Amino acid sequence: MKKRLPSGFLIEGCLMGLAAWLWSVPTAVADPCTVNCRSGQIQFTPGDRVTVQVVNVGSRPLSLEQPPLLGPRLLYTGNSFETRLNWAGQPKPSFFFWSQERLPVRVRLNRPSPDILRVELYDAPSEPSDRSITIEPDGRVSVK
């Protein structure tokens, strides 16, 4: 007659083997996104000085606003707007943008250097439209 091992013994052995394997595998460290980033893929350290560059790479003029510091301003094709953020004065800075013709607009986020956020605005073929970017209190850049 064969002696059977208790099922708990088998499960514990599998779990221990899995744990040993996981500890032996080098952890993957994600590189910070720098080009064509999506919402939430770029994060700055709260309190650090950040330069935001907004560039209209689309084919039509767009309006841009950063309340309460900057009222609506027209940004023509190829033109850009640049500002340095003051986290203490504005803990959750946001930029709003829209098409004069109420056509959809999309955002492409880039981080060309550790202290620069480049926001490229371009024409979208259809809805949904991006309407704003916000640097959240934890430093993440979100597109809404």
Side-chain angles (χ1 to χ4, degrees), residues 91-140:
K92 191 175 174 179
S94 296
F95 295 84
F96 299 90
F97 39 85
W98 61 95
S99 160
Q100 296 294 308
E101 298 88 15
R102 308 267 187 246
L103 297 171
V105 177
R106 296 267 167 77
V107 171
R108 193 169 25 240
L109 300 174
N110 299 289
R111 190 174 186 178
S113 71
D115 63 339
I116 294 178
L117 172 64
R118 181 179 168 94
V119 180
E120 295 177 348
L121 306 176
Y122 62 97
D123 309 335
S126 62
E127 292 289 344
S129 183
D130 296 331
R131 304 282 184 214
S132 67
I133 62 137
T134 301
I135 301 180
E136 304 293 343
D138 67 356
R140 281 179 305 111

Side-chain angles (χ1 to χ4, degrees), residues 37-139:
C37 306
R38 294 185 313 258
S39 183
Q41 288 188 309
I42 294 177
Q43 184 167 7
F44 294 97
T45 303
D48 283 358
R49 305 283 281 161
V50 176
T51 299
V52 178
Q53 302 169 339
V54 182
V55 183
N56 181 355
V57 296
S59 64
R60 59 182 176 259
L62 301 172
S63 292
L64 173 69
E65 182 176 7
Q66 185 198 7
L69 303 175
L70 173 71
R73 160 179 300 197
L74 202 55
L75 198 60
Y76 291 97
T77 300
N79 287 354
S80 63
F81 169 78
E82 186 172 301
T83 187
R84 202 92 165 126
L85 292 181
N86 178 2
W87 288 79
Q90 192 178 14
K92 191 175 174 179
S94 296
F95 295 84
F96 299 90
F97 39 85
W98 61 95
S99 160
Q100 296 294 308
E101 298 88 15
R102 308 267 187 246
L103 297 171
V105 177
R106 296 267 167 77
V107 171
R108 193 169 25 240
L109 300 174
N110 299 289
R111 190 174 186 178
S113 71
D115 63 339
I116 294 178
L117 172 64
R118 181 179 168 94
V119 180
E120 295 177 348
L121 306 176
Y122 62 97
D123 309 335
S126 62
E127 292 289 344
S129 183
D130 296 331
R131 304 282 184 214
S132 67
I133 62 137
T134 301
I135 301 180
E136 304 293 343
D138 67 356

